mmCIF file of all heavy atoms in Angstrom:
data_model
loop_
_atom_site.group_PDB
_atom_site.id
_atom_site.type_symbol
_atom_site.label_atom_id
_atom_site.label_comp_id
_atom_site.label_asym_id
_atom_site.label_seq_id
_atom_site.Cartn_x
_atom_site.Cartn_y
_atom_site.Cartn_z
ATOM 1 N N TYR A 36 3.856 -5.207 -4.275
ATOM 2 C CA TYR A 36 2.900 -4.335 -4.940
ATOM 3 C C TYR A 36 3.655 -3.453 -5.926
ATOM 4 O O TYR A 36 4.839 -3.167 -5.743
ATOM 5 C CB TYR A 36 2.194 -3.419 -3.930
ATOM 6 C CG TYR A 36 1.263 -4.121 -2.981
ATOM 7 C CD1 TYR A 36 1.744 -4.751 -1.833
ATOM 8 C CD2 TYR A 36 -0.108 -4.162 -3.223
ATOM 9 C CE1 TYR A 36 0.893 -5.399 -0.961
ATOM 10 C CE2 TYR A 36 -0.973 -4.798 -2.345
ATOM 11 C CZ TYR A 36 -0.460 -5.419 -1.216
ATOM 12 O OH TYR A 36 -1.312 -6.057 -0.352
ATOM 13 N N GLN A 38 3.248 0.369 -8.105
ATOM 14 C CA GLN A 38 2.501 1.624 -8.196
ATOM 15 C C GLN A 38 2.944 2.380 -9.443
ATOM 16 O O GLN A 38 4.112 2.740 -9.584
ATOM 17 C CB GLN A 38 2.719 2.488 -6.955
ATOM 18 C CG GLN A 38 1.863 3.744 -6.939
ATOM 19 C CD GLN A 38 2.057 4.573 -5.679
ATOM 20 O OE1 GLN A 38 3.131 4.604 -5.095
ATOM 21 N NE2 GLN A 38 1.006 5.248 -5.248
ATOM 22 N N ASN A 41 0.323 8.354 -10.443
ATOM 23 C CA ASN A 41 -1.042 8.816 -10.184
ATOM 24 C C ASN A 41 -2.031 7.674 -9.980
ATOM 25 O O ASN A 41 -3.223 7.821 -10.254
ATOM 26 C CB ASN A 41 -1.542 9.721 -11.321
ATOM 27 C CG ASN A 41 -0.640 10.919 -11.513
ATOM 28 O OD1 ASN A 41 -0.275 11.577 -10.550
ATOM 29 N ND2 ASN A 41 -0.243 11.180 -12.738
ATOM 30 N N ARG A 42 -1.536 6.547 -9.506
ATOM 31 C CA ARG A 42 -2.401 5.409 -9.234
ATOM 32 C C ARG A 42 -2.130 4.873 -7.828
ATOM 33 O O ARG A 42 -1.111 5.175 -7.209
ATOM 34 C CB ARG A 42 -2.148 4.272 -10.246
ATOM 35 C CG ARG A 42 -2.344 4.655 -11.693
ATOM 36 C CD ARG A 42 -3.798 5.015 -12.002
ATOM 37 N NE ARG A 42 -4.701 3.893 -11.841
ATOM 38 C CZ ARG A 42 -4.988 3.037 -12.813
ATOM 39 N NH1 ARG A 42 -4.431 3.153 -13.992
ATOM 40 N NH2 ARG A 42 -5.847 2.054 -12.585
ATOM 41 N N GLY A 43 -3.045 4.059 -7.338
ATOM 42 C CA GLY A 43 -2.808 3.378 -6.073
ATOM 43 C C GLY A 43 -1.903 2.176 -6.282
ATOM 44 O O GLY A 43 -1.462 1.892 -7.394
ATOM 45 N N LYS A 49 2.028 -12.866 -3.531
ATOM 46 C CA LYS A 49 2.188 -13.022 -2.090
ATOM 47 C C LYS A 49 2.798 -14.374 -1.767
ATOM 48 O O LYS A 49 2.661 -15.339 -2.521
ATOM 49 C CB LYS A 49 0.837 -12.876 -1.385
ATOM 50 C CG LYS A 49 -0.142 -14.019 -1.648
ATOM 51 C CD LYS A 49 -1.442 -13.820 -0.869
ATOM 52 C CE LYS A 49 -2.419 -14.967 -1.141
ATOM 53 N NZ LYS A 49 -3.704 -14.788 -0.420
ATOM 54 N N SER A 94 2.757 -8.633 6.656
ATOM 55 C CA SER A 94 1.486 -8.406 7.342
ATOM 56 C C SER A 94 1.353 -9.267 8.581
ATOM 57 O O SER A 94 1.958 -10.319 8.710
ATOM 58 C CB SER A 94 0.315 -8.688 6.410
ATOM 59 O OG SER A 94 0.216 -10.077 6.177
ATOM 60 N N THR A 96 -2.040 -9.427 11.812
ATOM 61 C CA THR A 96 -3.461 -9.098 11.935
ATOM 62 C C THR A 96 -3.662 -7.595 11.819
ATOM 63 O O THR A 96 -3.108 -6.824 12.589
ATOM 64 C CB THR A 96 -3.998 -9.579 13.292
ATOM 65 O OG1 THR A 96 -3.707 -10.971 13.402
ATOM 66 C CG2 THR A 96 -5.491 -9.366 13.371
ATOM 67 N N LYS A 98 -2.356 -5.309 10.341
ATOM 68 C CA LYS A 98 -1.242 -4.411 10.004
ATOM 69 C C LYS A 98 -0.492 -4.901 8.780
ATOM 70 O O LYS A 98 0.020 -6.013 8.772
ATOM 71 C CB LYS A 98 -0.262 -4.341 11.180
ATOM 72 C CG LYS A 98 -0.674 -3.386 12.248
ATOM 73 C CD LYS A 98 0.518 -3.026 13.121
ATOM 74 C CE LYS A 98 0.137 -1.903 14.051
ATOM 75 N NZ LYS A 98 1.253 -1.344 14.777
ATOM 76 N N TYR A 99 -0.440 -4.051 7.784
ATOM 77 C CA TYR A 99 0.381 -4.306 6.613
ATOM 78 C C TYR A 99 1.481 -3.260 6.628
ATOM 79 O O TYR A 99 1.206 -2.064 6.530
ATOM 80 C CB TYR A 99 -0.447 -4.205 5.335
ATOM 81 C CG TYR A 99 -1.482 -5.291 5.181
ATOM 82 C CD1 TYR A 99 -2.667 -5.258 5.916
ATOM 83 C CD2 TYR A 99 -1.284 -6.354 4.304
ATOM 84 C CE1 TYR A 99 -3.613 -6.258 5.773
ATOM 85 C CE2 TYR A 99 -2.234 -7.356 4.154
ATOM 86 C CZ TYR A 99 -3.395 -7.309 4.884
ATOM 87 O OH TYR A 99 -4.335 -8.297 4.743
ATOM 88 N N ARG B 9 -10.208 13.059 -6.489
ATOM 89 C CA ARG B 9 -8.857 12.658 -6.860
ATOM 90 C C ARG B 9 -7.834 13.702 -6.420
ATOM 91 O O ARG B 9 -6.694 13.360 -6.081
ATOM 92 C CB ARG B 9 -8.747 12.442 -8.373
ATOM 93 C CG ARG B 9 -9.468 11.206 -8.887
ATOM 94 C CD ARG B 9 -8.911 9.898 -8.321
ATOM 95 N NE ARG B 9 -7.476 9.760 -8.435
ATOM 96 C CZ ARG B 9 -6.828 9.303 -9.494
ATOM 97 N NH1 ARG B 9 -7.487 8.966 -10.577
ATOM 98 N NH2 ARG B 9 -5.513 9.198 -9.493
ATOM 99 N N TYR B 35 -4.170 4.987 4.444
ATOM 100 C CA TYR B 35 -2.721 5.143 4.437
ATOM 101 C C TYR B 35 -2.380 6.541 3.946
ATOM 102 O O TYR B 35 -3.074 7.106 3.104
ATOM 103 C CB TYR B 35 -2.047 4.146 3.493
ATOM 104 C CG TYR B 35 -1.866 2.757 4.051
ATOM 105 C CD1 TYR B 35 -2.869 1.802 3.935
ATOM 106 C CD2 TYR B 35 -0.672 2.396 4.680
ATOM 107 C CE1 TYR B 35 -2.683 0.526 4.430
ATOM 108 C CE2 TYR B 35 -0.487 1.116 5.185
ATOM 109 C CZ TYR B 35 -1.500 0.175 5.051
ATOM 110 O OH TYR B 35 -1.317 -1.084 5.547
ATOM 111 N N GLN B 37 0.720 8.572 2.001
ATOM 112 C CA GLN B 37 1.943 8.391 1.229
ATOM 113 C C GLN B 37 2.569 9.753 0.960
ATOM 114 O O GLN B 37 2.017 10.560 0.223
ATOM 115 C CB GLN B 37 1.672 7.662 -0.089
ATOM 116 C CG GLN B 37 2.946 7.333 -0.852
ATOM 117 C CD GLN B 37 2.693 6.556 -2.134
ATOM 118 O OE1 GLN B 37 1.624 6.612 -2.721
ATOM 119 N NE2 GLN B 37 3.700 5.801 -2.573
ATOM 120 N N GLU B 56 -7.437 -0.018 14.711
ATOM 121 C CA GLU B 56 -6.074 0.503 14.701
ATOM 122 C C GLU B 56 -6.133 2.004 14.520
ATOM 123 O O GLU B 56 -6.823 2.523 13.638
ATOM 124 C CB GLU B 56 -5.278 -0.124 13.553
ATOM 125 C CG GLU B 56 -3.811 0.243 13.516
ATOM 126 C CD GLU B 56 -2.990 -0.483 14.574
ATOM 127 O OE1 GLU B 56 -3.404 -1.590 14.968
ATOM 128 O OE2 GLU B 56 -1.969 0.050 14.998
ATOM 129 N N GLY B 99 -4.305 -11.211 7.872
ATOM 130 C CA GLY B 99 -3.086 -10.779 7.195
ATOM 131 C C GLY B 99 -2.714 -11.593 5.977
ATOM 132 O O GLY B 99 -1.691 -11.324 5.351
ATOM 133 N N THR B 100 -3.495 -12.594 5.578
ATOM 134 C CA THR B 100 -3.135 -13.394 4.407
ATOM 135 C C THR B 100 -3.761 -12.869 3.127
ATOM 136 O O THR B 100 -3.362 -13.262 2.038
ATOM 137 C CB THR B 100 -3.583 -14.865 4.589
ATOM 138 O OG1 THR B 100 -5.004 -14.906 4.723
ATOM 139 C CG2 THR B 100 -2.931 -15.485 5.811
ATOM 140 N N SER B 101 -4.740 -11.990 3.269
ATOM 141 C CA SER B 101 -5.417 -11.451 2.092
ATOM 142 C C SER B 101 -4.736 -10.168 1.644
ATOM 143 O O SER B 101 -4.442 -9.315 2.474
ATOM 144 C CB SER B 101 -6.873 -11.169 2.453
ATOM 145 O OG SER B 101 -7.525 -10.455 1.440
ATOM 146 N N LEU B 103 -4.118 -6.395 0.166
ATOM 147 C CA LEU B 103 -4.873 -5.150 0.159
ATOM 148 C C LEU B 103 -5.217 -4.769 -1.278
ATOM 149 O O LEU B 103 -4.427 -4.983 -2.195
ATOM 150 C CB LEU B 103 -4.056 -4.021 0.782
ATOM 151 C CG LEU B 103 -3.720 -4.141 2.262
ATOM 152 C CD1 LEU B 103 -2.822 -2.996 2.690
ATOM 153 C CD2 LEU B 103 -4.979 -4.165 3.098
ATOM 154 N N GLY B 106 -7.417 2.021 -3.658
ATOM 155 C CA GLY B 106 -7.954 2.998 -4.574
ATOM 156 C C GLY B 106 -6.814 3.795 -5.190
ATOM 157 O O GLY B 106 -5.635 3.587 -4.861
ATOM 158 N N ASN B 107 -7.152 4.731 -6.084
ATOM 159 C CA ASN B 107 -6.129 5.537 -6.751
ATOM 160 C C ASN B 107 -5.696 6.757 -5.945
ATOM 161 O O ASN B 107 -4.822 7.496 -6.380
ATOM 162 C CB ASN B 107 -6.611 5.962 -8.132
ATOM 163 C CG ASN B 107 -6.580 4.807 -9.108
ATOM 164 O OD1 ASN B 107 -5.731 3.918 -9.018
ATOM 165 N ND2 ASN B 107 -7.529 4.789 -10.036
#
Side-chain angles (χ1 to χ4, degrees):
Chain A
Y36 292 82
Q38 185 178 32
N41 302 313
R42 302 295 296 271
K49 69 178 180 181
S94 71
T96 305
K98 278 199 171 189
Y99 292 76
Chain B
R9 289 297 309 275
Y35 280 87
Q37 186 178 25
E56 185 75 27
T100 62
S101 171
L103 295 176
N107 286 328

